[in-house]
Amino acid sequence: MVFRFLILSDEVDDFKREIKIDSEATFLDLYNAIMDSVGYTKDQMCSFFICDDDWSKNTEITLVEMDTTSEVDNYIMEDTRLEELLEDEHQKLLFVFDYMTERAFFMELREIIPGKDLDKPVCSKSIGEAPVQIMSFDDMDPKAGNTEIGEDFYGDSEYDIDELDKEGFDGLGDGPMDNPYDDERF
């Protein structure tokens, strides 16, 4: 069988790669095909994650042996065949290529082609430029916008304890409240 993967990036809108690979190939073969198709160096830590339909990470396939507990199955790219973990069309995967900033490609097994074999993986579609391979924390563009907190972030800069609504607070009498910050201990 041949697997046809579609690879997308959330960083570059017009980036798209399509890889066709034999189902008996290993995740290392898929890793090499992806890295070659985007022009990345192969000197960084990377992992595949088998995901559910909501892109939540389930099974991890690592480039090298990781020090994990024996309770969790440990999959290494070189030793794990694609067909061992992938069996359904539209299966989703993440390929984390920048561990420090958790940047990844979104992958989907778009098609399973029975009755065909491939000797080596093929990049059958290459559109757009890949995002940079390694990005420093300083270069990351925060998606949440400006994170600077002004002096009025928590509301009014002036706080008047007499404005506190005493309704709903047990034990607060009708008299004026003492300001705990006026205490000489502080």
Side-chain angles (χ1 to χ4, degrees), residues 3-19:
F3 288 162
R4 182 173 63 90
F5 290 98
L6 175 64
I7 304 168
L8 302 173
S9 169
D10 63 345
E11 296 177 45
V12 181
D13 292 334
D14 63 346
F15 170 82
K16 186 184 291 186
R17 295 292 185 274
E18 185 179 87
I19 305 282

Side-chain angles (χ1 to χ4, degrees), residues 11 95-98 101-105 131-135:
E11 296 177 45
F95 176 64
V96 177
F97 59 86
D98 185 353
T101 56
E102 280 287 313
R103 294 169 55 238
F105 290 132
V132 296
Q133 182 175 5
I134 302 297
M135 183 180 290

Side-chain angles (χ1 to χ4, degrees), residues 150-160:
E151 64 185 46
D152 291 332
F153 175 75
Y154 293 104
D156 292 338
S157 56
E158 296 293 321
Y159 173 73
D160 185 2

Side-chain angles (χ1 to χ4, degrees), residues 24 28 66-68 78-79 82 84 88 118 134 149 151-153 177 180 184:
E24 294 181 3
L28 184 62
M66 301 296 254
D67 201 16
T68 59
E78 185 177 16
D79 302 331
L82 298 173
E84 290 177 42
D88 298 322
L118 280 176
I134 302 297
I149 297 175
E151 64 185 46
D152 291 332
F153 175 75
M177 292 181 61
E184 304 248 342

Side-chain angles (χ1 to χ4, degrees), residues 67-120:
D67 201 16
T68 59
T69 64
S70 59
E71 297 171 8
V72 179
D73 286 336
N74 203 3
Y75 295 101
I76 293 36
M77 289 184 202
E78 185 177 16
D79 302 331
T80 309
R81 299 199 177 283
L82 298 173
E83 64 188 359
E84 290 177 42
L85 299 176
L86 303 173
E87 51 193 38
D88 298 322
E89 286 186 352
H90 306 292
Q91 176 67 59
K92 292 177 174 35
L93 297 95
L94 280 176
F95 176 64
V96 177
F97 59 86
D98 185 353
Y99 249 83
M100 296 303 291
T101 56
E102 280 287 313
R103 294 169 55 238
F105 290 132
F106 294 85
M107 299 177 60
E108 183 178 351
L109 177 54
R110 293 303 288 256
E111 184 179 17
I112 297 174
I113 306 165
K116 293 197 174 195
D117 295 321
L118 280 176
D119 292 333
K120 62 181 187 171

